[in-house]
Amino acid sequence: MTIDPFKAPKAHVADVDIDRALASRPASVTLACRLLWATIALGLVSLVPGVRNGLWTAYAQTPAAIVVALGFTMLMIALEAWLIRLVSRRHGWARWALLGLLILGWVLTFSDFSVSIDQGMAAVVIDLVVGMAEMVAAGLLFLSGGRTWFQREP
């Protein structure tokens, strides 16, 4: 038998059936993704003037600061939404990237929690609810059913 180096290999190559892979998604991963979508919605609600007293008046002095702050916020929301979508489609690296983004958000939120207290009770409640929901979602993605679903081959 001669080996021809110019022939294509005879290995079977096929695309992953994404519908079948997503159909086997555990309820814990689905719940985690839904919780994360809800935290994005709550975060947007917290930007409404009147929810965080003093937030918009602080930025009103310099209109460029409003543009920069809103641009950065929208960029972070878009990044988180993209990562949630990838996590729901079983991309393991996106789960780790999302965890890093969540940890960064927790550190920034809770290191300057006194600002939330100054902005009003609604801001405090939203920050606490969002933080706890994100921690629960991260636990669901990295423990039990979530962990095994990301480790298993499709």
Side-chain angles (χ1 to χ4, degrees), residues 12-134:
H12 176 69
V13 178
D15 289 332
V16 174
D17 185 7
I18 192 72
D19 293 330
R20 193 178 82 231
L22 294 180
S24 68
R25 179 174 48 206
S28 61
V29 174
T30 301
L31 177 61
C33 290
R34 287 180 181 166
L35 278 172
L36 291 169
W37 286 117
T39 62
I40 288 177
L42 269 175
L44 288 172
V45 166
S46 76
L47 294 177
V48 173
V51 174
R52 293 189 181 271
N53 300 327
L55 175 68
W56 294 103
T57 56
Y59 285 128
Q61 296 169 354
T62 55
I66 293 175
V67 172
V68 170
L70 286 178
F72 181 75
T73 301
M74 292 303 135
L75 179 69
M76 289 295 111
I77 289 172
L79 177 62
E80 185 178 357
W82 179 63
L83 289 172
I84 293 169
R85 184 175 181 279
L86 291 176
V87 164
S88 71
R89 297 181 69 75
R90 202 178 190 175
H91 292 272
W93 67 267
R95 180 176 62 135
W96 288 99
L98 182 61
L99 180 65
L101 186 65
L102 292 176
I103 290 172
L104 176 66
W106 299 332
V107 168
L108 293 175
T109 298
F110 294 115
S111 67
D112 208 10
F113 199 66
S114 62
V115 172
S116 290
I117 293 171
D118 292 341
Q119 291 174 346
M121 200 59 184
V124 171
V125 170
I126 288 174
D127 287 347
L128 289 174
V129 168
V130 165
M132 285 191 264
E134 288 174 344

